[in-house]
Amino acid sequence: MKVAEEAAPGLRRPSRWLDLRGRHEGAWAYALNRLTAIGLIAYLYVHLGVLSLLAHGPSTWNSFLATTKAPFFTALDAVVLLGVLFHSLNGIRVVLTGVGVAVRWHRLLFRSLMALAAILFLVAGLLWSIRG
Amino acid sequence: MTAESVAVDLEVLRYRPGEGSRLENFSVQVAKGTKVLDALDAIWATLDHSLMFRRACHHSSCGACAMRINGRERLACVTQVAEAAEEHQPIRVEPLHNLPVVGDLVVDVAGFFARMTASDLVITRSAEPELPVSVDPLPASLSLRQVVVPEDLDRFIRFESCIECGICVSVCPSMAADDGFLGPAALAGIHRTREATGDATESAHLLALADGDGGVWRCHSSFECTASCPQAVDPAGRIMSLRGQILARRWGRMWGR
Ligand code: SF4
Ligand code: FES
């Protein structure tokens, strides 16, 4: 059980902000924003690591590109795109409400931006499938 | 038991420092239409005198009975047992988050009140002046005292709807991630005090506090405080309003105003 945490003086614990029982959109947005931030930073490093393959010449790069055609990498791309869409559009909500815009309608704003994220994701999927 | 009584099952988080924690199940009979706090009172009175929980007013005025009921922060004195039992069986009762637990359902509110004090909000009388009294001359032996309403009543009463229950602190994800944050209630207090004060120096000091380390910029717009506050204080709205005031002040300074 979790009570040892309850009594400890330090309070920075993911188990708290990730505990979404009974919470509303805002807490979900907060948790997802943090998780996508961590994910995107990790992705950035992986991306830089992958780019460093260029230094090993065209054959290494081309064989890597061939590997990325696998469905696993497509799924990974989809996850990254979802993360980017969520993080950037939720960021717009945080900035707008943070300067006093749409404070009373923050839930509607969040839902609308998430609907926009879903639409953009579907459009991206459509474009990807058309392009093959 | 009378026909009006109902059986209630609760699982209560039990904790003592050094002993770890566990969920303990209790079954009590309470009057129909009763509140979760009454069920806890019944456990204490009939089953387990060692159960620690806090309450005072029993009518949502003191904030003492704030706790997590079925995972949601609420005042136990106004939460219907029937409603809670419908949500989850047995009713799960846990202490508030983001405040150190002293034992069972009791959290240490010292840090919370220290933050509230920073807001200069009149929570209690700053000194403890005796209320002006006049002695009833009739039954001198009883030395009855009659309270005469003082003219400067506003010195004695609170003028803020916040009941300092700590619910907003428990629900706030920024509070969970950041010990240095002043928190929703204290920032709402700062906003309220600025509305009420005519003292320009105090007003500027409070705005600087809101703008400082631990102030409004640590809020990440989850709005959970406003959604959960039992008194409609709207801490998130007040935090956003403070941000607007801070930005206006910065803008003014840029132009030498
Ligand atoms: S602002 Fe609301 S939730 Fe926070 S302490 Fe005051 S009454 Fe409780
Ligand atoms: S006992 Fe006072 S608010 Fe519940």
Side-chain angles (χ1 to χ4, degrees):
Chain A
M1 278 287 324
K2 45 210 159 174
V3 175
E5 296 174 3
E6 306 268 356
L11 297 167
R12 285 187 201 97
R13 263 178 296 279
S15 61
R16 287 296 152 72
W17 54 264
L18 274 176
D19 182 355
L20 296 167
R21 288 179 298 159
R23 298 287 183 253
H24 307 83
E25 291 92 334
W28 283 87
Y30 179 96
L32 283 172
N33 210 56
R34 286 201 144 196
L35 293 176
T36 52
I38 294 166
L40 291 174
I41 288 172
Y43 172 76
L44 182 69
Y45 281 102
V46 171
H47 185 65
L48 290 174
V50 164
L51 286 183
S52 71
L53 290 177
L54 282 170
H56 295 95
S59 65
T60 315
W61 182 247
N62 287 337
S63 71
F64 170 73
L65 281 189
T67 324
T68 60
K69 299 277 187 269
F72 171 74
F73 283 92
T74 309
L76 218 57
D77 278 348
V79 171
V80 170
L81 179 63
L82 270 179
V84 168
L85 284 173
F86 175 83
H87 199 84
S88 52
L89 290 171
N90 182 54
I92 290 174
R93 178 191 70 94
V94 171
V95 169
L96 286 179
T97 53
V99 293
V101 178
V103 171
R104 290 181 61 188
W105 298 280
H106 67 93
R107 279 188 180 170
L108 180 64
L109 180 64
F110 179 69
R111 287 176 191 178
S112 308
L113 287 167
M114 289 308 105
L116 179 62
I119 291 168
L120 290 174
F121 184 71
L122 289 177
V123 169
L126 208 64
L127 290 177
W128 179 86
S129 62
I130 289 170
R131 227 187 43 178
Chain B
M1 279 286 154
T2 67
E4 289 299 316
S5 76
V6 285
V8 182
D9 296 321
L10 300 102
E11 54 181 9
V12 182
L13 197 131
R14 305 300 305 269
Y15 167 75
R16 288 289 183 281
E19 287 178 19
S21 70
R22 68 202 149 87
L23 283 167
E24 186 168 353
N25 285 69
F26 295 98
S27 211
V28 277
Q29 290 283 333
V30 290
K32 216 173 167 189
T34 209
K35 312 295 190 301
V36 172
L37 185 57
D38 300 316
L40 291 173
D41 272 335
I43 293 173
W44 182 84
T46 61
L47 298 174
D48 188 344
H49 248 39
S50 71
L51 179 65
M52 289 173 70
F53 60 105
R54 200 182 264 133
R55 84 277 196 272
C57 72
H58 280 254
H59 58 248
S60 73
S61 292
C62 70
C65 69
M67 54 189 75
R68 288 167 61 85
I69 299 167
N70 295 336
R72 261 176 58 207
E73 283 76 356
R74 287 178 262 194
L75 297 176
C77 67
V78 288
T79 304
Q80 291 278 351
V81 155
E83 182 194 312
E86 217 163 89
E87 292 168 3
H88 190 264
Q89 288 269 20
I91 299 167
R92 180 177 283 200
V93 189
E94 299 163 288
L96 291 181
H97 274 176
N98 304 332
L99 296 164
V101 179
V102 176
D104 299 340
L105 304 172
V106 175
V107 290
D108 182 353
V109 288
F112 172 68
F113 280 108
R115 286 172 164 88
M116 292 299 283
T117 307
S119 73
D120 283 2
L121 187 68
V122 180
I123 299 170
T124 53
R125 286 166 289 204
S126 48
E128 284 288 329
E130 285 255 323
L131 282 171
V133 293
S134 65
V135 176
D136 187 331
L138 292 175
S141 59
L142 293 177
S143 61
L144 289 177
R145 297 198 311 168
Q146 208 175 49
V147 174
V148 176
V149 176
E151 279 183 12
D152 52 349
L153 187 65
D154 55 353
R155 249 189 344 119
F156 298 95
I157 59 169
R158 355 168 0 134
F159 55 86
E160 174 58 52
S161 52
C162 172
I163 56 170
E164 299 96 40
C165 63
I167 281 178
C168 54
V169 166
S170 180
V171 298
C172 173
S174 296
M175 211 70 217
D178 185 350
D179 297 348
F181 186 32
L182 269 173
L187 289 168
I190 286 177
H191 184 268
R192 181 69 189 93
T193 311
R194 287 192 83 243
E195 276 176 348
T197 186
D199 181 341
T201 315
E202 187 191 23
S203 187
H205 158 72
L206 288 171
L207 200 61
L209 194 62
D211 192 16
D213 221 22
V216 291
W217 306 109
R218 293 203 188 202
C219 163
H220 290 268
S221 306
S222 83
F223 291 90
E224 288 294 323
C225 51
T226 290
S228 308
C229 173
Q231 292 295 106
V233 169
D234 186 18
R238 287 173 182 268
I239 288 172
M240 299 313 160
S241 170
L242 278 171
R243 283 181 175 178
Q245 292 164 21
I246 290 165
L247 291 177
R249 187 190 63 168
R250 287 189 187 170
W251 181 254
R253 281 194 179 158
M254 259 172 67
W255 302 101
R257 278 184 262 139

